[in-house]
Amino acid sequence: MPTTSATVKRPLFLRSLQLLGFKTFARPTEIRFEGGVTAIVGPNGSGKTNIVDSVKWVLGSGQARDLRGRKMEDVIYAGGERRSRSAFAEVTVVFDNTAGRLPVKVTTSSTARASAAATCCTCCLRPV
C-alpha cells in the first residue's frame, strides 16, 4: 500500500519529564527532551530505571510490581542520610501536541501524585 498523508500518523513528541519525590528523585528534577535522540546514562544504581518507572506511573500504571515495588508507597522517596522522607511523589510528563495527534488544542501534560500515609497511598492521575 503506498504511503499517503492519510496513512502517515503525525508525530507526538515528549518534551519534558518532571519528578519530585519519586523514588530516588528527592529534589525537583526536570529532564528535557529537545529534538534528536536523548540517552540516559549512568552507573548502576544511579536511578536510570526509576525514570522508566516514573513514565509508567504517570501514564497510569497502578500496580506496584510494574514499578519494581512491593507496595505503591515505594514510589515515594524513602529518605536517606541527609534528607528526610518525602511526603509525596509527583511526576509530570509534557507532550508537544502541535501536530494535533491528540484530540486537544494545546500542548498537554499528565501528572500523577501520591501522598505518603501510614497505611495507604492515594494517587490522583490527570489524564492526557
Side-chain angles (χ1 to χ4, degrees):
M1 176 164 104
T3 303
T4 67
S5 61
T7 60
V8 175
K9 300 250 185 203
R10 293 174 286 189
L12 177 67
F13 294 102
L14 176 62
R15 287 294 173 215
S16 70
L17 181 66
Q18 301 158 3
L19 305 114
L20 174 61
F22 184 85
K23 291 192 171 189
T24 55
F25 295 93
R27 293 178 293 164
T29 303
E30 181 177 21
I31 301 169
R32 292 184 182 181
F33 303 98
E34 300 175 2
V37 176
T38 300
I40 309 286
V41 296
N44 291 344
S46 64
K48 298 179 301 291
T49 308
N50 291 342
I51 295 169
V52 174
D53 290 345
S54 72
V55 173
K56 288 180 186 178
W57 187 58
V58 75
L59 293 180
S61 179
Q63 298 292 321
R65 71 175 175 266
D66 293 341
L67 305 172
R68 298 176 309 119
R70 284 181 271 156
K71 53 189 186 268
M72 286 306 292
E73 292 168 7
D74 292 344
V75 303
I76 300 170
Y77 177 71
E81 257 179 45
R82 293 176 277 170
R83 188 177 300 272
S84 61
R85 176 178 174 80
S86 182
F88 64 93
E90 183 173 277
V91 175
T92 301
V93 63
V94 178
F95 295 100
D96 180 347
N97 191 38
T98 55
R101 179 84 186 264
L102 296 175
V104 292
K105 295 184 184 207
V106 295
T107 298
T108 187
S109 66
S110 178
T111 302
R113 180 180 176 122
S115 299
T119 59
C120 68
C121 179
T122 61
C123 182
C124 175
L125 181 64
R126 287 184 243 157
V128 173

